[in-house]
C-alpha cells in the first residue's frame, strides 16, 4: 500500500453535456415530499482501477471520457430533470424547469495513485478535489484521471430534486447505456400518487413532533450556551466487518425477550447498528472533553416507496422507478444517562419504536397532507433544528447503493461512497455495502469532531478506518 499523501487536482476542461435528443421545455412541479428538503447538494464518487489491470487495455482516459459523455447525453433523455434547472414559481416554491440546459462535465487530472488517496479522511482527499462543486443546474459531473491510470467518476446533485434512491437509478442507467444495454428500470416522474388527500387528514401528534415550519422554528429557538463555537464538523469513512454486525445484532436480540412488550420483534441490522452508535456516543458524553448535554436525539431516514405501495403490485412497479424524494425522518430523544445505563437491547427497542411511526402508508399520506396545509411556507425535519439544546445524529441506510452495477465498460468499481458534508450540526451517517460483496459495511460519517473521537476511542474494534489494504487496491 502506498503512503497516504496530499495531492493536487488540475482541471483540464469543463463543458456542458445536454440530452442527446431535443425536448420540449416544460415545468415539473415538486411533490410535497420534495418541498421538505432545504437547498443542499449531495455528492457521490466511484473509483475504478486502471483498465489494464482488468484486462481491458483498449480504454485510455480519452476513450473513457468519450464513453462517459456520450452515454450521459443519452441517459439525460430519460432523466431529463437532471438536465434542467431549479427555479422559483410565483408562490416562491422551487420547481424544475426542464429546458435541457445540461450538466457541467469536468475533466481533471490528479497527481496521485488510487492506493495513495486517504479515503478514511474525505475532508482531505475528496471534498473540493474529486467531487465537483455544483455551480448551476441540478447535476454536476467530474471525471478525474489518476497517475496510476485509474479514474474517479463523481456527481453532485441537488437533494431537492432527487434522493439517493433516485440517484442510484440514474447511475445504474448511465452505466447500462454506456455498455449499450437496455435500461433495467425506466424512471417515472409521475407525481399523482403523492397528491394530497381530500379532505385533508393527518395525525398532528405524530407529524408535528417530526416536522416544523420554518417560522415556528424561529419562535421555538432557545439559547444554547454549551456549544463550543470552535467545534468542528468532520467526515470519516470506516468499514465494519460482517461478523461484528451479526454479533451486535445477536447481542441486541439475545436480551430482547426480557423486554416488556406486547409483541416480540427481531431487531434488524440497521436498528442494531443505530442503537449501538447512539449508545456508543452517549457512553462517552459528560466527561471533561465533551459538552454537557442532558438529552440526545437520534433519527433514521425512511424510504416511503415500499410503504406507499402497501402490497399493491401495480403501485409498487411505479414506485420502484419513481424519481424524486420519498423520505421521512423519524427520531427519538432519550436522556444521556438512560442511554448509558440501559443495555443495547433497550436502546434498539427505542429505535424500533420511533421507526414504527414512519413505516406505514398512512404516515406518508399524512405527511403529504401536512405539507399541503402549510404551503407555501417551507418546513424542516425537527431533528435538524440544531439550535435546540440536544445533539442529534441521523442515519440514512445506503444498503441499496448499487456500487457493483455501475460498470461503464472498464470493470466494476473498486470503491464507491456517498459524500454529504452538509453545514448543519446534526450528524449524518450512511452505512453502505462493501464493494467486496462479503457482507461488510462501509460507513460514511459526518459528525461533530468530539462525537467521532468518542466513536474511535470506545468502538475502534467495530469502526475501522477505511484503507487501501482493506479494499485490495492494486
Amino acid at each position: 500500500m502506498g503512503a497516504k499523501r496530499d495531492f493536487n487536482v488540475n482541471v483540464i476542461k469543463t463543458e456542458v453535456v445536454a440530452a442527446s435528443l431535443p425536448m420540449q421545455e416544460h415545468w415539473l412541479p415538486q411533490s410535497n415530499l420534495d418541498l421538505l428538503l432545504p437547498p443542499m447538494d449531495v455528492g457521490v464518487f466511484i473509483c475504478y482501477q486502471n483498465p489494464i489491470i482488468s484486462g481491458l487495455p483498449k480504454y485510455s482516459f480519452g476513450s473513457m471520457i468519450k464513453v462517459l459523455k456520450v452515454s450521459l447525453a443519452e441517459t439525460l433523455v430519460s432523466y431529463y430533470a437532471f438536465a434542467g434547472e431549479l427555479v422559483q414559481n410565483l408562490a416562491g416554491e422551487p420547481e424544475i424547469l426542464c429546458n435541457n440546459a445540461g450538466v457541467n462535465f469536468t475533466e481533471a487530472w490528479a497527481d496521485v495513485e488510487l492506493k495513495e488517496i486517504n479515503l478514511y479522511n474525505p475532508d482531505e482527499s475528496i471534498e473540493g478535489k474529486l467531487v465537483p462543486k455544483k455551480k448551476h443546474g441540478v447535476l454536476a459531473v467530474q471525471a478525474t484521471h489518476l497517475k496510476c491510470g485509474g479514474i474517479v467518476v463523481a456527481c453532485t446533485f441537488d437533494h431537492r430534486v432527487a434522493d439517493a434512491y433516485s440517484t442510484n437509478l440514474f447511475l445504474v442507467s448511465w452505466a447500462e447505456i454506456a455498455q449499450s444495454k437496455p435500461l433495467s428500470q425506466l424512471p417515472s416522474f409521475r407525481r399523482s400518487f403523492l397528491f394530497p388527500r381530500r379532505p385533508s387528514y393527518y395525525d398532528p401528534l405524530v407529524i408535528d413532533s417530526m416536522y416544523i415550519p420554518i417560522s415556528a422554528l424561529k419562535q421555538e429557538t432557545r439559547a444554547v450556551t454549551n456549544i463550543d463555537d470552535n467545534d468542528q464538523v468532520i467526515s470519516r469513512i470506516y468499514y465494519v466487518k460482517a461478523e461484528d454486525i451479526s454479533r451486535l445484532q445477536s447481542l441486541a436480540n439475545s436480551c430482547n425477550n426480557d423486554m416488556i412488550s406486547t409483541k416480540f420483534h427481531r431487531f434488524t441490522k440497521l436498528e442494531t447498528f443505530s442503537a449501538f452508535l447512539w449508545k456508543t456516543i452517549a457512553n462517552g458524553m459528560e466527561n471533561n472533553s465533551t459538552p454537557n448535554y442532558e438529552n440526545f436525539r437520534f433519527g433514521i431516514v425512511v424510504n416511503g416507496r415500499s410503504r406507499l405501495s402497501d402490497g399493491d403490485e401495480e403501485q409498487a412497479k411505479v414506485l420502484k422507478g419513481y424519481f424524486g424524494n420519498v423520505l421521512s425522518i423519524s427520531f427519538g430523544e432519550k436522556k444521556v444517562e438512560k442511554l448509558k445505563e440501559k443495555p443495547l437491547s433497550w436502546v434498539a427497542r427505542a429505535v424500533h419504536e420511533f421507526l414504527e411511526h414512519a413505516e406505514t402508508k398512512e404516515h406518508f399520506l399524512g405527511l403529504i397532507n401536512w405539507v399541503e396545509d402549510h404551503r407555501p411556507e417551507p418546513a424542516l425535519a425537527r431533528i435538524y433544528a440544531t439550535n435546540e439544546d440536544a445533539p442529534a445524529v441521523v442515519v440514512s441506510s445506503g444498503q441499496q447503493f448499487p456500487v457493483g452495477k455501475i460498470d461503464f465498460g472498464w470493470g466494476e468499481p473498486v470503491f464507491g461512497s456517498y459524500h454529504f458534508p452538509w453545514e448543519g450540526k446534526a450528524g449524518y451517517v450512511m452505512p453502505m455495502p462493501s464493494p467486496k460483496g462479503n457482507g461488510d459495511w462501509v460507513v460514511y460519517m459526518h459528525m461533530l469532531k468530539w462525537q467521532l473521537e468518542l466513536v474511535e476511542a470506545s468502538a475502534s474494534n467495530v469502526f475501522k478506518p477505511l484503507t487501501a489494504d482493506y479494499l485490495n487496491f492494486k
Side-chain angles (χ1 to χ4, degrees):
M1 180 184 73
K4 296 292 179 287
R5 66 177 183 84
D6 195 11
F7 60 92
N8 296 311
V9 175
N10 298 311
V11 173
I12 300 172
K13 65 176 179 178
T14 298
E15 61 182 282
V16 175
V17 175
S20 57
L21 294 177
M23 63 179 68
Q24 184 174 1
E25 183 173 299
H26 65 282
W27 294 85
L28 181 64
Q30 297 286 80
S31 77
N32 282 12
L33 298 183
D34 289 323
L35 294 174
L36 286 171
L37 276 296
M40 55 185 175
D41 293 335
V42 180
V44 56
F45 66 98
I46 308 136
C47 305
Y48 302 84
Q49 61 188 3
N50 189 328
I52 294 176
I53 298 175
S54 303
L56 298 165
K58 65 177 180 178
Y59 284 101
S60 64
F61 179 62
S63 63
M64 288 190 281
I65 289 294
K66 183 177 180 180
V67 167
L68 288 170
K69 287 181 179 178
V70 171
S71 57
L72 175 60
E74 188 174 343
T75 308
L76 291 174
V77 174
S78 298
Y79 290 85
Y80 51 84
F82 265 160
E85 299 176 279
L86 211 58
V87 297
Q88 283 191 342
N89 60 21
L90 295 178
E93 295 177 332
E95 287 191 8
I96 306 171
L97 174 58
C98 300
N99 58 359
N100 200 20
V103 171
N104 268 8
F105 188 106
T106 299
E107 300 172 41
W109 157 261
D111 61 342
V112 67
E113 295 188 15
L114 182 58
K115 63 184 179 182
E116 296 174 324
I117 297 175
N118 187 1
L119 295 172
Y120 160 67
N121 184 355
D123 292 334
E124 171 191 291
S125 60
I126 305 301
E127 175 67 13
K129 292 185 177 182
L130 299 178
V131 172
K133 293 289 186 184
K134 184 176 65 62
K135 297 180 180 179
H136 64 80
V138 177
L139 174 72
V141 175
Q142 179 175 318
T144 306
H145 189 208
L146 306 178
K147 192 167 67 172
C148 60
I151 186 173
V152 178
V153 179
C155 303
T156 299
F157 62 94
D158 194 316
H159 201 343
R160 293 173 294 175
V161 173
D163 54 17
Y165 182 97
S166 304
T167 305
N168 291 345
L169 291 177
F170 164 77
L171 292 170
V172 171
S173 295
W174 186 9
E176 289 172 339
I177 288 175
Q179 294 199 61
S180 300
K181 296 179 179 179
L183 294 187
S184 56
Q185 178 65 60
L186 289 170
S188 169
F189 296 90
R190 197 176 100 194
R191 307 293 205 225
S192 58
F193 72 93
L194 294 180
F195 286 173
R197 296 176 293 186
R198 303 294 185 195
S200 176
Y201 173 75
Y202 59 87
D203 184 348
L205 291 177
V206 174
I207 306 297
D208 286 343
S209 68
M210 295 171 61
Y211 289 88
I212 183 171
I214 297 298
S215 60
L217 172 65
K218 294 176 182 177
Q219 294 170 11
E220 289 187 12
T221 298
R222 299 195 296 269
V224 180
T225 59
N226 54 0
I227 292 181
D228 183 354
D229 290 335
N230 296 318
D231 204 359
Q232 295 175 284
V233 183
I234 61 176
S235 299
R236 294 291 184 265
I237 302 179
Y238 305 92
Y239 72 93
V240 180
K241 301 290 288 183
E243 52 263 35
D244 288 325
I245 300 167
S246 297
R247 176 179 57 82
L248 291 172
Q249 187 180 24
S250 297
L251 178 62
N253 283 297
S254 64
C255 300
N256 196 15
N257 285 320
D258 298 331
M259 301 295 294
I260 299 174
S261 178
T262 57
K263 60 180 179 179
F264 175 79
H265 168 77
R266 179 169 174 79
F267 301 126
T268 65
K269 289 180 179 179
L270 184 66
E271 287 172 335
T272 304
F273 169 86
S274 300
F276 178 74
L277 183 59
W278 197 5
K279 183 173 175 59
T280 296
I281 298 174
N283 282 343
M285 289 171 64
E286 297 185 357
N287 61 33
N288 293 332
S289 61
T290 65
N292 184 21
Y293 290 112
E294 181 180 355
N295 298 321
F296 186 4
R297 292 178 169 184
F298 202 97
I300 295 180
V301 179
V302 178
N303 183 346
R305 287 169 174 82
S306 63
R307 279 79 187 183
L308 281 165
S309 61
D310 196 26
D312 185 323
E313 293 185 6
E314 288 302 315
Q315 187 85 312
K317 288 180 182 178
V318 174
L319 285 162
K320 187 178 180 182
Y322 178 74
F323 186 96
N325 288 284
V326 194
L327 306 174
S328 182
I329 305 177
S330 187
F331 72 94
E333 182 171 346
K334 297 293 181 184
K335 291 190 177 300
V336 171
E337 282 303 317
K338 279 286 187 183
L339 294 167
K340 293 167 72 171
E341 71 183 34
K342 293 293 185 178
L344 183 62
S345 56
W346 185 90
V347 184
R349 172 65 59 183
V351 171
H352 175 68
E353 287 175 351
F354 74 65
L355 262 181
E356 282 186 310
H357 294 306
E359 291 186 315
T360 66
K361 179 177 182 178
E362 180 57 38
H363 168 75
F364 279 90
L365 294 177
L367 182 56
I368 292 167
N369 276 124
W370 185 90
V371 175
E372 185 69 16
D373 287 354
H374 288 82
R375 290 177 64 179
E377 184 181 359
L380 183 72
R382 274 187 180 268
I383 194 167
Y384 291 139
T386 51
N387 284 332
E388 299 183 16
D389 54 355
V393 172
V394 175
V395 170
S396 178
S397 175
Q399 291 305 312
Q400 292 181 319
F401 183 40
V403 63
K405 295 181 180 180
I406 310 173
D407 180 354
F408 293 100
W410 47 81
E412 292 183 4
V414 290
F415 182 67
S417 173
Y418 272 83
H419 180 64
F420 186 35
W422 80 303
E423 297 179 356
K425 290 288 186 180
Y428 180 83
V429 178
M430 178 179 274
M432 295 161 281
S434 167
K436 300 174 84 168
N438 59 356
D440 292 357
W441 286 4
V442 168
V443 183
Y444 172 83
M445 290 193 184
H446 180 72
M447 295 194 297
L448 293 166
K449 183 179 179 182
W450 64 263
Q451 293 173 338
L452 283 172
E453 287 175 346
L454 290 179
V455 169
E456 293 194 357
S458 57
S460 59
N461 61 323
V462 174
F463 296 98
K464 302 175 178 66
L466 190 73
T467 64
D469 278 345
Y470 168 76
L471 294 168
N472 297 321
F473 284 170
K474 298 177 182 178

